[in-house]
Amino acid sequence: MRLIPERFKHNNLFITMFTITVLIIVTVSVTITWTTIRMSEQFFFDKFSITNARVMKQLNESLDKFNYSIVIASNNLQQSVTLKEILTKEDESNVERLSSIYTMSQLMKRLEPNLDAYEVSIIVTGINGISYATDRSYWPIHDEELKNSYLTKKTYENPNKLFYQYDYRPNREDGRYIVATKALLERTSGNNYGSLYFAIKETEFKKFYSNFTSPGNNVFFVNSDGIIVSSNQSKLIGQKSNELLGYATKSGEGKNEDYIIGDFMGKEQIILMEYIPSFDMYMFNTIDKQTAFGSLIDTNKILLIVMGIVCIALIIVLLASRRLTNSLSKMVKQIENTSKHDFHQYVSVSGTYETRQIGKAFNSMLDELHEYVDQLVVSQKQRRNAELAALQQQINPHFLYNTLTSIKMMANHGSKEETESMINALISLLQNTIGNVNETVTVNQEIANLRNYVLINQKRYGNRIKVNFFVSGDCEEYKIPKLILQPFMENSFFHAFNHKPEGFIHVLIWKEGNLLICEVVDNGDGMEVSADSHLPPSNRKQEFFSGIGVRNVDERIQLTYGESYGVQISSELGEGTKVRITLPL
Amino acid sequence: MKKVLALFLVSILFLAACSSGSSKDTSGETKDSNEITVWAWDPNFNIKAMNLAKDAYKSDNPDLEIKIIENAQDDIIQKLNTSLSSGTTKGLPNIVLIEDYRAQSFLQAYPDMFHELTGTFNSDDFAQYKIAPTSVDGKNYGLPFDTGVSGLYVRTDYLEQAGYTVEDLQNMDWKKYIEIGKKVKEATGKHMLTQDPNDLGLIRMMIQSAGSWYLKDDGKTPNLAGNEALKVAFETYKEILDADLVKPISDWSQFLAGFNSGDVATVPTGNWITPSIKAEASQAGKWAVVAHPRLPGVPESVNASNLGGSSWYVLNVPGKEDAADFLAKTFGSNVEFYQTINKEIGAIGTFKPAADGEAYQAGDDFFGGQKIIADFAAWTEQIPQINYGLHTYAIEDILAVEAQNYIKGKDLDKALEDAQKQAEAQVK
């Protein structure tokens, strides 16, 4: 997660959550939208192909009906002996010919009910050159033209078949025709005595299916040569379309599909195909996907709605998750900072239930921690205090031993007074240290102890170090910890005058505000004082008076009175050392 | 927070409003009252004439939009019959062209569906024979358009070969026609005329020249048995056939081919055939038009007759006033307009004042400089006025059968009586 800048560190959860939600919402919406569009498209395809297939079937039926009418009409004419006579009669007189024409017209009139429903022009031609047209203006082809046309040629090639052909009369605006042709055969001899032509205008033929077409929904009739014979796309009529013919064969292969999706006229189309055997034509129904469905499925609208919903969802998610995670990350920030505030800073309890509970738990944990630590500190202090107190009670045996040795030597020298004062001093010293169970003593008593100690030391080591006591009168009765000054006095005695032959030690005690200041000042060798005002180590254990040393004094004062009190040492080489002890009154 | 929420709700509503409000154009269908529709057939003749009328009318009322729709004559009849018989005029045009032979059947069958034109034009200005078919009970419903005045188109070159001049044919009767025909056939081997056994146009022309028709003056009673003119006409018809003057044809294109290819020496028919005759430019100068032959032995018969012809009718639908005004100011009174349609399409109207115009007086080089239009106009005025009645074509179908029987040897009186009976049974 290094990608996330530092300032977003606390929003990590939010960003992760939000990103995932956004991704999921977008994925889901896109998937659903896409699927819906695809499904509805598929639905329309199926629906269209089903209805269109049905319509095509109907179309097929009506075409069959049309074909049947023509077949009936052609059979009637084929079976008419009169017609055969007229068409084969040679060398007629004009009056006879006139009568023949009239007979033919009556014959045709009888046929009319068969073909009433359709606008069809029938032309009958005979080998004797006679011809009759029911409506020549409908299909304006001259007899000569007709005789030489490929329509007739093809008819004679297949004399047994009634089949449909495409004819184009360029001199007419709507001069496209579908012509059913049939050769008239003499049953017995198989001789051809004429031919029948049933012409229907393409515009009429179109009426079979024109109701069914719509923009993008086109119908094409393609004959076996691939020529578009009829279509609602009038411009394409008469053109050869290999494309459609290709689909005709393709559609024959894959029988199980109702429709093919393919390209036609440069557009993607759904293509339905049916072969009409009676016409020997392929009927195509092409549905332009774009035109047919483009308007049905408003993709833009769907996308707009989906985008709108996604946006709203995102905004809601943004706000909601922001609210959820905000309290959490705020708490995390607070928790992170607790160590900086010595675990005194509580976290604010807010936000959701979970975060509130976590906050409460954290706060009570802090409480317990504090309690525990406090207890620990107190017990530690007590233990240390007890240790120090115990040390204080002890008198170094070396000290006693040395002092007693000195007293013995004095007694040997015979100075009775000196010996007596030495013993007195030792007695009162021992009395005050071991005998007195109190922790604290008055300043006077402490001074008295110091005097005794000084006396003993002066007796032992001589008077080269002078000791003076200056105690402010109003301080005499204040209580101070027992033997608090003695270690410094001892220190000065044994370390301050290693080089200097003689000097003095002043002990000063006075009151300053509500502080009691005690100073032990010597003008001895001085020393290098380290920053923490501690005294250099010493191993002259045998010289110590009690278990307590210079080092312990500060610790003890602080344990007893608190941090603001203690020992300060300042010293200068060759000038002397000053020890200052600050105590509460 | 609440403000933001409110904003979203508003934006959702806005979004919904946007998507649902996909503009639905409410294009109110305001029916343009300044539009009239015309139905007619034959783009080379009637439609062209109507277009010229439209141009001519532009100066009178430039706001009126005239929509001219071409329909086959059969379609027009069918549509009119279906709509009018169900009492609706929806989808019908304002102006429709109806053949004179059929006019009465419409006017009488659907009396309220046609807008009366009496007074919008001066009926005295038109050839009188056109007024009867277009009127009911003395009220004018149709505005006469083209004349079907007939003439006998003749090949002068063939006549010359037989030793005749055009002068010999003027004001002749059918007897003389047969006589000449025989000579011509002898001299040239050509037939005199073409005939389609299904089309008794020749018979119609013959009897109208004598002021007679298939129906009596009431327009309803068949007038076949005992109709002297009809009898003479049939006799003449048979004589023509027996003289082998006829080249049989079965349809229109063969009819056209008959004279265009030079197979026949004469064409007795309406003047509207002129463009078709002139279509064969190689025959220029070889044609002339003479007056229609009269029936021999029938004193009423004149050397003028009619075949076909049609008139304009205004249907009783919104816009009829505009339509009537349009017709009145063009076909009803505009001499200049008649000159134009005559020059442009060779149409001869039945509007008498137009006959004095320069176009009508011009000679036609195709016909050897003959002033055929003027001649036709003159004959037009002589056409006997008759009431075509309601059942012209129905009776002709019956007559065609009997005509065949007669040709095959049936007694003519018997044949006509049989026809009369059938007709009475059918048109009752």
Side-chain angles (χ1 to χ4, degrees):
Chain A
M1 284 290 158
R2 197 161 294 174
L3 289 171
I4 300 166
E6 188 63 20
R7 68 197 188 90
F8 292 129
K9 197 177 77 183
H10 296 294
N11 293 329
N12 203 340
L13 177 68
F14 166 72
I15 286 165
T16 316
M17 231 169 89
F18 185 67
T19 315
I20 288 171
T21 322
V22 167
L23 279 177
I24 288 171
I25 288 177
V26 169
T27 314
V28 166
S29 336
V30 167
T31 315
I32 287 178
T33 310
W34 187 75
T35 317
T36 313
I37 291 174
R38 276 307 302 259
M39 269 169 66
S40 42
E41 243 183 32
Q42 194 61 39
F43 173 76
F44 282 128
F45 280 5
D46 288 346
K47 207 78 196 152
F48 251 74
S49 66
I50 287 168
T51 44
N52 280 26
R54 209 168 287 161
V55 171
M56 277 175 85
K57 211 172 205 173
Q58 265 174 27
L59 242 168
N60 207 345
E61 273 165 23
S62 52
L63 286 175
D64 267 348
K65 220 165 114 193
F66 170 68
N67 180 52
Y68 185 64
S69 322
I70 291 205
V71 167
I72 292 291
S74 80
N75 283 354
N76 275 346
L77 292 173
Q78 166 88 57
Q79 285 157 10
S80 164
V81 181
T82 327
L83 184 68
K84 195 174 115 189
E85 265 171 25
I86 292 168
L87 295 184
T88 49
K89 211 188 280 174
E90 298 288 342
D91 301 327
E92 265 183 316
S93 77
N94 280 328
V95 176
E96 280 169 339
R97 174 59 64 94
L98 213 54
S99 169
S100 295
I101 290 171
Y102 183 74
T103 315
M104 272 215 283
S105 73
Q106 294 306 106
L107 209 68
M108 290 303 190
K109 257 182 201 155
R110 281 205 293 278
L111 277 182
E112 259 171 25
N114 281 328
L115 294 165
D116 237 6
Y118 315 101
E119 242 183 73
V120 176
S121 162
I122 309 168
I123 293 186
V124 182
T125 60
I127 40 164
N128 60 356
I130 199 168
S131 79
Y132 183 82
T134 54
D135 190 353
R136 186 82 71 162
S137 61
Y138 182 77
W139 185 35
I141 188 165
H142 293 304
D143 289 338
E144 205 57 30
E145 243 179 311
L146 183 61
K147 202 169 155 189
N148 299 325
S149 72
Y150 63 92
L151 296 172
T152 312
K153 214 174 116 197
K154 250 183 120 179
T155 310
Y156 285 140
E157 279 167 15
N158 307 284
N160 289 313
K161 238 174 97 182
L162 178 123
F163 57 96
Y164 290 81
Q165 302 187 57
Y166 171 72
D167 186 47
Y168 179 54
R169 301 279 110 216
N171 49 347
R172 276 191 73 132
E173 207 178 312
D174 50 352
R176 298 189 174 89
Y177 297 87
I178 293 159
V179 188
T181 62
K182 173 85 173 70
L184 290 166
L185 286 183
E186 201 173 337
R187 239 356 96 74
T188 45
S189 63
N191 281 342
N192 193 337
Y193 64 85
S195 40
L196 300 172
Y197 305 86
F198 299 86
I200 182 166
K201 261 188 201 172
E202 194 275 327
T203 46
E204 278 300 312
F205 189 78
K206 206 178 273 177
K207 285 180 185 164
F208 282 117
Y209 58 82
S210 56
N211 286 344
F212 157 59
T213 56
S214 56
N217 183 5
N218 298 320
V219 169
F220 298 92
F221 281 83
V222 179
N223 68 10
S224 49
D225 297 330
I227 289 166
I228 297 173
V229 168
S230 176
S231 170
N232 59 322
Q233 295 285 315
S234 305
K235 280 180 192 158
L236 295 175
I237 300 169
Q239 290 181 14
K240 203 174 156 77
S241 172
N242 289 325
E243 232 177 333
L244 282 176
L245 206 62
Y247 286 122
T249 48
K250 211 196 237 170
S251 167
E253 286 161 11
K255 272 276 179 198
N256 39 355
E257 279 282 334
D258 285 343
Y259 55 88
I260 315 171
I261 292 177
D263 280 340
F264 180 58
M265 302 192 296
K267 281 179 180 169
E268 202 179 6
Q269 314 247 14
I270 303 165
I271 302 171
L272 290 95
M273 198 279 297
E274 191 148 350
Y275 175 66
I276 309 166
S278 50
F279 283 71
D280 189 25
M281 285 184 200
Y282 297 97
M283 175 165 63
F284 285 95
N285 177 212
T286 65
I287 302 159
D288 177 9
K289 271 171 95 169
Q290 195 58 38
T291 324
F293 305 131
S295 52
L296 285 177
I297 303 172
D298 191 347
T299 317
N300 282 347
K301 196 168 157 185
I302 293 174
L303 285 182
L304 203 72
I305 291 171
V306 166
M307 264 157 61
I309 292 171
V310 166
C311 281
I312 291 160
L314 288 186
I315 288 160
I316 292 169
V317 164
L318 180 88
L319 291 173
S321 58
R322 184 100 191 117
R323 236 190 98 172
L324 291 179
T325 55
N326 247 6
S327 53
L328 206 60
S329 53
K330 211 156 77 189
M331 199 166 71
V332 168
K333 222 186 272 180
Q334 287 175 342
I335 289 171
E336 262 184 359
N337 288 337
T338 37
S339 61
K340 288 183 198 159
H341 295 99
D342 287 338
F343 301 95
H344 284 296
Q345 184 100 5
Y346 287 94
V347 296
S348 52
V349 177
S350 65
T352 57
Y353 175 76
E354 288 86 352
T355 44
R356 280 204 309 272
Q357 286 305 106
I358 291 172
K360 275 182 199 162
F362 185 78
N363 284 348
S364 58
M365 193 190 79
L366 276 189
D367 280 341
E368 276 176 38
L369 192 67
H370 281 303
E371 210 174 312
Y372 177 71
V373 168
D374 286 350
Q375 275 178 4
L376 200 67
V377 168
V378 168
S379 65
Q380 284 284 334
K381 268 184 182 171
Q382 283 171 344
R383 217 175 104 199
R384 189 67 187 147
N385 227 354
E387 269 176 26
L388 291 175
L391 284 174
Q392 225 168 355
Q393 302 294 329
Q394 294 168 359
I395 295 290
N396 196 338
H398 286 284
F399 177 78
L400 273 181
Y401 168 78
N402 288 340
T403 308
L404 286 173
T405 311
S406 303
I407 292 172
K408 191 191 99 186
M409 282 172 64
M410 268 181 213
N412 284 350
H413 282 108
S415 51
K416 186 188 165 197
E417 272 173 40
E418 267 180 43
T419 308
E420 197 186 318
S421 67
M422 183 92 156
I423 287 171
N424 280 342
L426 185 62
I427 289 167
S428 68
L429 197 58
L430 287 176
Q431 210 172 17
N432 274 332
T433 31
I434 304 165
N436 188 355
V437 252
N438 285 340
E439 280 266 306
T440 51
V441 292
T442 58
V443 174
N444 270 348
Q445 280 174 315
E446 184 63 15
I447 296 295
N449 285 341
L450 279 183
R451 281 184 200 275
N452 291 330
Y453 178 69
V454 169
L455 185 76
I456 291 165
N457 279 345
Q458 277 174 345
K459 291 284 186 235
R460 277 174 64 193
Y461 304 107
N463 280 342
R464 60 183 190 115
I465 300 167
K466 299 271 183 295
V467 178
N468 299 307
F469 296 95
F470 307 97
V471 178
S472 174
D474 52 352
C475 302
E476 286 171 3
E477 293 307 318
Y478 289 117
K479 299 245 175 178
I480 56 171
K482 201 159 67 180
L483 290 179
I484 201 163
L485 298 175
Q486 183 274 332
F488 300 103
M489 183 63 80
E490 188 180 76
N491 204 45
S492 294
F493 258 101
F494 293 106
H495 302 293
F497 297 97
N498 291 344
H499 303 290
K500 285 193 177 174
E502 56 178 16
F504 61 84
I505 298 170
H506 297 309
V507 175
L508 302 101
I509 297 175
W510 74 96
K511 204 169 86 175
E512 211 175 88
N514 52 352
L515 291 177
L516 190 70
I517 313 290
C518 312
E519 276 187 2
V520 179
V521 185
D522 65 60
N523 62 346
D525 298 338
M527 57 186 172
E528 301 237 10
V529 183
S530 58
D532 55 357
S533 310
H534 277 140
L535 293 171
S538 139
N539 48 6
R540 293 176 47 172
K541 264 189 178 164
Q542 69 274 17
E543 300 297 335
F544 286 168
F545 170 68
S546 71
I548 207 138
V550 172
R551 314 185 132 263
N552 294 345
V553 175
D554 188 44
E555 192 182 345
R556 214 185 142 210
I557 291 169
Q558 286 188 353
L559 275 174
T560 314
Y561 298 108
E563 301 266 325
S564 49
Y565 307 100
V567 180
Q568 272 179 311
I569 295 166
S570 53
S571 178
E572 240 172 279
L573 280 172
E575 292 293 317
T577 305
K578 184 170 97 183
V579 176
R580 183 188 174 99
I581 300 163
T582 329
L583 291 169
L585 282 176
Chain B
M1 188 69 195
K2 266 189 185 164
K3 262 186 195 170
V4 178
L5 200 77
L7 196 78
F8 285 136
L9 286 174
V10 168
S11 65
I12 287 168
L13 283 177
F14 181 69
L15 203 80
C18 273
S19 52
S20 68
S22 49
S23 55
K24 243 179 225 169
D25 284 25
T26 45
S27 53
E29 256 189 61
T30 46
K31 169 92 179 160
D32 194 358
S33 56
N34 273 335
E35 187 186 285
I36 60 168
T37 320
V38 182
W39 282 1
W41 64 89
D42 197 345
N44 290 323
F45 193 81
N46 300 320
I47 299 281
K48 254 189 198 169
M50 206 15 115
N51 274 318
L52 291 169
K54 181 177 161 182
D55 295 341
Y57 189 63
K58 236 173 214 155
S59 54
D60 286 310
N61 186 357
D63 294 336
L64 188 72
E65 196 160 321
I66 301 161
K67 230 168 118 185
I68 300 163
I69 294 166
E70 189 211 337
N71 272 312
Q73 191 187 170
D74 288 344
D75 284 349
I76 292 178
I77 292 161
Q78 194 193 339
K79 281 175 185 166
L80 280 179
N81 270 322
T82 9
S83 291
L84 295 177
S85 62
S86 61
T88 173
T89 52
K90 210 172 181 187
L92 289 182
N94 299 84
I95 297 173
V96 67
L97 187 67
I98 300 176
E99 202 185 4
D100 293 338
Y101 293 143
R102 299 181 198 272
Q104 285 295 316
S105 66
F106 281 107
L107 293 177
Q108 296 198 11
Y110 315 113
D112 299 331
M113 296 298 187
F114 290 90
H115 179 63
E116 196 186 327
L117 295 177
T118 316
T120 60
F121 66 96
N122 182 4
S123 59
D124 291 339
D125 282 346
F126 289 84
Q128 280 314 297
Y129 86 96
K130 285 286 269 192
I131 297 301
T134 59
S135 309
V136 177
D137 299 336
K139 291 174 182 166
N140 301 119
Y141 287 97
L143 197 137
F145 172 41
D146 66 323
T147 172
V149 60
S150 58
L152 183 65
Y153 292 79
V154 296
R155 284 287 293 264
T156 50
D157 51 340
Y158 292 165
L159 288 175
E160 267 166 38
Q161 284 180 45
Y164 290 101
T165 62
V166 176
E167 284 311 309
D168 296 329
L169 279 75
Q170 295 294 359
N171 296 319
M172 61 175 178
D173 62 11
W174 286 101
K175 262 204 165 63
K176 181 139 189 223
Y177 176 84
I178 295 164
E179 185 192 314
I180 293 169
K182 285 176 181 165
K183 287 266 174 63
V184 169
K185 186 139 191 248
E186 241 173 64
T188 63
K190 302 285 181 189
H191 293 289
M192 215 35 185
L193 74 168
T194 55
Q195 274 298 295
D196 179 345
N198 290 295
D199 182 3
L200 296 186
L202 191 63
I203 302 283
R204 288 203 298 275
M205 284 190 285
M206 285 173 173
I207 58 174
Q208 187 168 7
S209 76
S212 175
W213 198 241
Y214 298 152
L215 297 141
K216 291 194 174 145
D217 278 347
D218 63 1
K220 288 169 187 167
T221 320
N223 183 21
L224 306 176
N227 183 338
E228 189 57 29
L230 186 62
K231 190 179 170 188
V232 175
F234 268 112
E235 280 165 359
T236 309
Y237 184 67
K238 188 162 193 282
E239 265 178 64
I240 294 171
L241 289 180
D242 290 344
D244 198 16
L245 301 182
V246 169
K247 178 182 159 64
I249 51 160
S250 65
D251 60 38
W252 183 259
S253 76
Q254 289 178 353
F255 170 58
L256 296 182
F259 55 78
N260 280 341
S261 61
D263 284 347
V264 290
T266 67
V267 186
T269 192
N271 69 84
W272 31 259
I273 203 72
T274 306
S276 301
I277 289 195
K278 285 167 84 173
E280 188 57 53
S282 64
Q283 295 172 359
K286 293 177 180 173
W287 285 95
V289 187
V290 297
H292 195 86
R294 63 181 185 276
L295 278 177
V298 180
E300 302 88 33
S301 184
V302 294
N303 280 98
S305 191
N306 179 69
L307 185 65
S310 48
S311 305
W312 301 105
Y313 296 84
V314 173
L315 287 167
N316 204 355
V317 299
K320 58 194 172 194
E321 289 83 9
D322 284 335
D325 185 64
F326 162 63
L327 285 180
K329 289 196 173 138
T330 52
F331 291 97
S333 59
N334 192 337
V335 175
E336 199 56 42
F337 165 69
Y338 275 102
Q339 307 302 314
T340 313
I341 59 168
N342 183 260
K343 264 187 265 176
E344 298 272 334
I345 50 180
I348 304 174
T350 46
F351 186 59
K352 285 191 261 183
D356 303 327
E358 34 142 357
Y360 278 57
Q361 298 302 326
D364 192 329
D365 290 336
F366 191 90
F367 295 95
Q370 188 186 351
K371 295 176 181 173
I372 58 163
I373 309 291
D375 286 345
F376 276 124
W379 297 329
T380 301
E381 293 182 31
Q382 297 172 33
I383 300 169
Q385 180 175 355
I386 50 166
N387 183 1
Y388 292 128
L390 301 176
H391 313 294
T392 300
Y393 285 112
I395 289 171
E396 183 156 311
D397 281 349
I398 295 162
L399 271 180
V401 181
E402 290 304 327
Q404 290 301 313
N405 292 338
Y406 168 56
I407 289 162
K408 283 177 187 156
K410 192 174 176 179
D411 178 58
L412 180 57
D413 286 327
K414 179 85 177 70
L416 290 177
E417 266 169 40
D418 288 350
Q420 173 83 16
K421 274 180 208 156
Q422 281 187 54
E424 278 172 2
Q426 198 172 323
V427 304
K428 199 166 259 178

